[in-house]
Amino acid sequence: MKKIFAANWKLHKTPQETREFFKVFLPQVRGLEAELLFFPSASSWEATAESLGNSENCKWGAQNIWYQGQGAFTGENSALVLSGMGAGFALVGHSERRQLFAEPAPWMKQKVAYLQSLQLVPVLCIGETLQERDSHQTKAVVEGQLREGLADADLSRRIIVAYEPVWAIGTGQVARPDQVAEVHRFLYSLLKGMGAQNFALLYGGSVKPDHASDLLALPHVDGFLVGGASLEPVSFLGICEKAEASSRAIRD
Ligand code: PGA
């Protein structure tokens, strides 16, 4: 499976800055053997769609969607519009949505199912807080979020799960390889046991070019969901290029 590198731009970049990023970035990743996913804020969807055109290895999606395509939902993003614009993906349940915007857990399964009904691939984000880790609840928390998020999913279709420990997001404190390995092994066996047939497991939380290789070498780490380090072409490229090195190492 090709490695997946996803850029979560959060509430950064104007449409013009988005176009400038791609002008620099795209020529450098032509031919790169990896799947690159971009999650711009809604105001840059159009700039992203136009910049990417029908790029082979770069696709895009939304950071959040509502689970109905239209109606009286002030301030929400329509997945119907997203799909009409040629996007392929959407994040569901990012910890900032869950924590800052108090998105309740039962919404996640509806968002996942709605995305799948539109042929969009959900990227379900799960992860424990520091308090939950310190009280040895990590596995129980991520299992609960995984099962809840996928409760109404069609498990024969493609699903991406991003393990993002809340304490590692935006803090500069990346999880240690043994911590990532333990949770990814656990999630992999849960997904297999649930009957998921086509899934990928990403790690997210303060990923920088420096530690990308160590984490990518772990079993069941299929790529990354990157926030801060995805904002500049050089740093995101520095992470994406590790894919070439890791697939070369496997081939040789
Ligand atoms: P970070 O963000 O890489 O800045 O920690 C990751 C994320 O929020 O998805």
Side-chain angles (χ1 to χ4, degrees), residues 190-213:
L190 281 178
L191 281 156
K192 280 281 181 198
M194 288 162 72
Q197 292 164 28
N198 180 7
F199 64 88
L201 279 170
L202 310 185
Y203 166 78
S206 295
V207 174
K208 305 276 180 296
D210 290 354
H211 19 71
S213 297

Side-chain angles (χ1 to χ4, degrees), residues 8 10 94 164 168-170 205-207 225-228:
N8 175 12
K10 311 193 180 189
H94 188 279
E164 298 204 301
I169 296 179
S206 295
V207 174
L225 179 54
V226 186

Side-chain angles (χ1 to χ4, degrees), residues 171-245:
T171 57
Q173 194 193 340
V174 67
R176 292 192 317 263
D178 61 300
Q179 294 173 318
V180 177
E182 186 184 14
V183 176
H184 276 238
R185 194 183 316 117
F186 177 65
L187 292 173
Y188 180 86
S189 60
L190 281 178
L191 281 156
K192 280 281 181 198
M194 288 162 72
Q197 292 164 28
N198 180 7
F199 64 88
L201 279 170
L202 310 185
Y203 166 78
S206 295
V207 174
K208 305 276 180 296
D210 290 354
H211 19 71
S213 297
D214 287 351
L215 294 174
L216 268 187
L218 299 171
H220 313 308
V221 174
D222 303 310
F224 301 126
L225 179 54
V226 186
S230 71
L231 291 170
E232 293 301 328
V234 260
S235 49
F236 194 46
L237 201 63
I239 293 170
C240 298
E241 281 173 343
K242 300 291 192 287
E244 291 276 89

